[in-house]
Amino acid sequence: MKKYLLPQNGNLYKANLHCHTKVSDGRNTPAEMKEYYKSRGYQVLAITDHELLVDHTDLDDDEFITLTGYEYGFVEKDYDPYTQEGIDTYQHIRTMEFNLFARDKHNVTHICFNKENVIHGEKWRCDTVKSVGREDIRKEYTVEAMQEFIDTAKANGFIVSLNHPNYSFESPEFFGELKGLFAMEIINQGSYYIADDYNIQMYDQMIRRGHRISCIAADDNHAAYIEGDDNDIRPWGHVIIKAEELTHEAVFSALEKGDFYSSQGPRITELYVEDGKVKMNFEAAKYAIMHTKYRHFGRVTAPLGEFITTAEFNLPKDADEFVRFEIIDQYGRRAHTRAYFMDEIDG
């Protein structure tokens, strides 16, 4: 009997869960960003402007939906992580930035809002903001303050993901103490070109710490173009969501359940367990890899000059084991699934 890790039923939707518009520090309007992504094969877009939460569902149509969300940042002032000396320059200080996604697509209740934190874009929106939680919490660069923020967000109908940890000069030794995240970015393609923000190792460390979270690839785009748009082999982060239908409710539910994977290009079309083996189908690739909690792994490699579209792996026998899967295409672009644990596979 097959047990599907990526749901059997439903459709695959291409989504970007992190971008910015003129509402904050982006170059284009929300409508222009919608047209940009829709023209490039996306069906889902979360416009996550800094500090300001806006309902963009007026942009939705039968082929494209927006998720209501925004980005909230903690910034440690007067600190240089390299010299340990005081400095007040953003490029030199630690940050912790989160994306919040609203369960109710019309929920625009801000969490721990302080209008002093709105330094870009449409500041006039501050006059009508509805907020809950401590407005001064951002001044406390501590695990305790960030945990309070996450708890407040969840209590008010949001799920929370962690953004670009390497760009933020942070590691699981710090953010690994936080509870209640539903996901973290393993690929932030915009930050990759600034700060090598490809964080699959950090994701593994979080999983080994006991966090059962999903992994997100995003572009963190600030304009209705991407450098090299005419080059169709460029890597650019996005997620593929498996949902019953293209509605906010169905897509949000899939995100909560982890029914999606991250990609720079490759597509996984099927992933299931049968008779103690994991079987997967995908578009033409050079490698398929099964990663585990420990050092054993599985790999299927295409012969020179050829491609593979299917792979099969034996499941580990350790009860506390997890497995996750990676596809690499001929251009070196990668797709990553979240970690699946033996108890959810066997359950």
Side-chain angles (χ1 to χ4, degrees):
M1 183 175 178
K2 295 180 180 179
K3 181 178 179 64
Y4 283 84
L5 304 182
L6 193 65
Q8 178 182 17
N9 299 319
N11 304 298
L12 295 172
Y13 298 114
K14 187 176 182 180
N16 181 41
L17 300 180
H18 191 167
C19 76
H20 301 275
T21 72
K22 285 185 174 181
V23 171
S24 60
D25 60 345
R27 299 183 187 180
N28 295 90
T29 66
E32 289 169 339
M33 294 298 273
K34 174 215 172 156
E35 291 307 314
Y36 174 81
Y37 282 98
K38 186 175 180 180
S39 69
R40 284 156 178 79
Y42 289 76
Q43 294 83 33
V44 181
L45 179 65
I47 296 174
T48 53
D49 276 303
H50 296 285
E51 313 301 331
L52 288 170
L53 175 60
V54 179
D55 178 354
H56 295 293
T57 55
D58 60 303
L59 299 175
D60 294 2
D61 59 41
D62 291 341
E63 299 174 334
F64 190 94
I65 67 167
T66 57
L67 299 179
T68 301
Y70 74 120
E71 185 172 18
Y72 187 99
F74 288 78
V75 180
E76 185 178 48
K77 297 291 186 181
D78 304 314
Y79 176 79
D80 185 335
Y82 299 110
T83 66
Q84 308 296 308
E85 296 174 355
I87 191 167
D88 192 18
T89 303
Y90 176 79
Q91 286 79 6
H92 295 84
I93 56 180
R94 298 192 299 170
T95 68
M96 282 288 286
E97 295 176 70
F98 303 93
N99 272 346
L100 282 66
F101 305 96
R103 178 172 286 102
D104 177 350
K105 61 186 177 182
H106 300 306
N107 178 7
V108 290
T109 300
H110 290 59
I111 307 301
C112 302
F113 179 77
N114 187 327
K115 66 180 181 181
E116 294 179 0
N117 301 331
V118 180
I119 59 176
H120 303 289
E122 299 176 354
K123 298 181 183 181
W124 56 265
R125 293 182 180 275
C126 296
D127 296 336
T128 58
V129 162
K130 175 186 176 183
S131 178
V132 296
R134 288 198 291 132
E135 70 173 26
D136 61 343
I137 197 170
R138 190 172 183 256
K139 297 178 180 179
E140 302 171 30
Y141 199 88
T142 65
V143 168
E144 292 75 18
M146 294 172 195
Q147 188 64 62
E148 180 181 340
F149 169 78
I150 293 170
D151 293 342
T152 304
K154 293 180 65 178
N156 285 275
F158 293 89
I159 55 176
V160 183
S161 67
L162 172 68
N163 295 345
H164 45 61
N166 199 54
Y167 169 85
S168 295
F169 301 148
E170 283 297 1
S171 71
E173 284 71 31
F174 182 78
F175 60 74
E177 299 300 315
L178 298 173
K179 309 296 182 185
L181 297 171
F182 94 95
M184 65 174 286
E185 286 183 349
I186 59 165
I187 300 171
N188 183 301
Q189 212 71 51
S191 297
Y192 174 81
Y193 297 112
I194 301 170
D196 195 18
D197 219 83
Y198 192 105
N199 303 300
I200 191 63
Q201 294 87 354
M202 289 192 191
Y203 178 69
D204 280 342
Q205 291 176 53
M206 288 289 281
I207 296 299
R208 292 182 179 120
R209 283 173 170 262
H211 296 275
R212 297 199 175 194
I213 60 176
S214 297
C215 53
I216 289 173
D219 62 32
D220 200 354
N221 199 10
H222 285 63
Y225 72 92
I226 294 173
E227 184 177 357
D229 264 343
D230 295 331
N231 183 354
D232 64 359
I233 64 170
R234 73 188 186 285
W236 210 253
H238 59 274
V239 298
I240 301 294
I241 301 169
K242 189 69 175 286
E244 290 284 349
E245 57 185 357
L246 188 59
T247 63
H248 183 280
E249 294 75 17
V251 169
F252 188 91
S253 176
L255 288 176
E256 276 197 298
K257 293 186 290 186
D259 292 339
F260 65 94
Y261 60 88
S262 299
S263 182
Q264 295 176 306
R267 281 221 172 187
I268 301 168
T269 56
E270 202 169 31
L271 181 63
Y272 63 90
V273 177
E274 186 177 36
D275 298 328
K277 298 180 182 296
V278 177
K279 301 180 181 181
M280 58 191 310
N281 297 309
F282 41 84
E283 294 180 350
K286 302 300 290 186
Y287 300 95
I289 305 168
M290 179 182 72
H291 299 277
T292 72
K293 182 176 182 179
Y294 304 108
R295 291 195 181 100
H296 52 273
F297 66 97
R299 183 178 65 206
V300 178
T301 304
L304 186 64
E306 300 180 21
F307 298 93
I308 54 174
T309 58
T310 186
E312 182 178 294
F313 305 100
N314 292 320
L315 275 175
K317 297 180 180 179
D318 297 289
D320 62 345
E321 187 77 81
F322 69 80
V323 290
R324 62 173 181 83
F325 302 92
E326 179 181 6
I327 303 298
I328 309 174
D329 71 9
Q330 63 177 321
Y331 305 112
R333 303 178 304 181
R334 297 167 185 258
H336 295 277
T337 74
R338 69 173 174 90
Y340 296 95
F341 290 80
M342 292 303 104
D343 58 1
E344 66 176 307
I345 292 173
D346 296 336

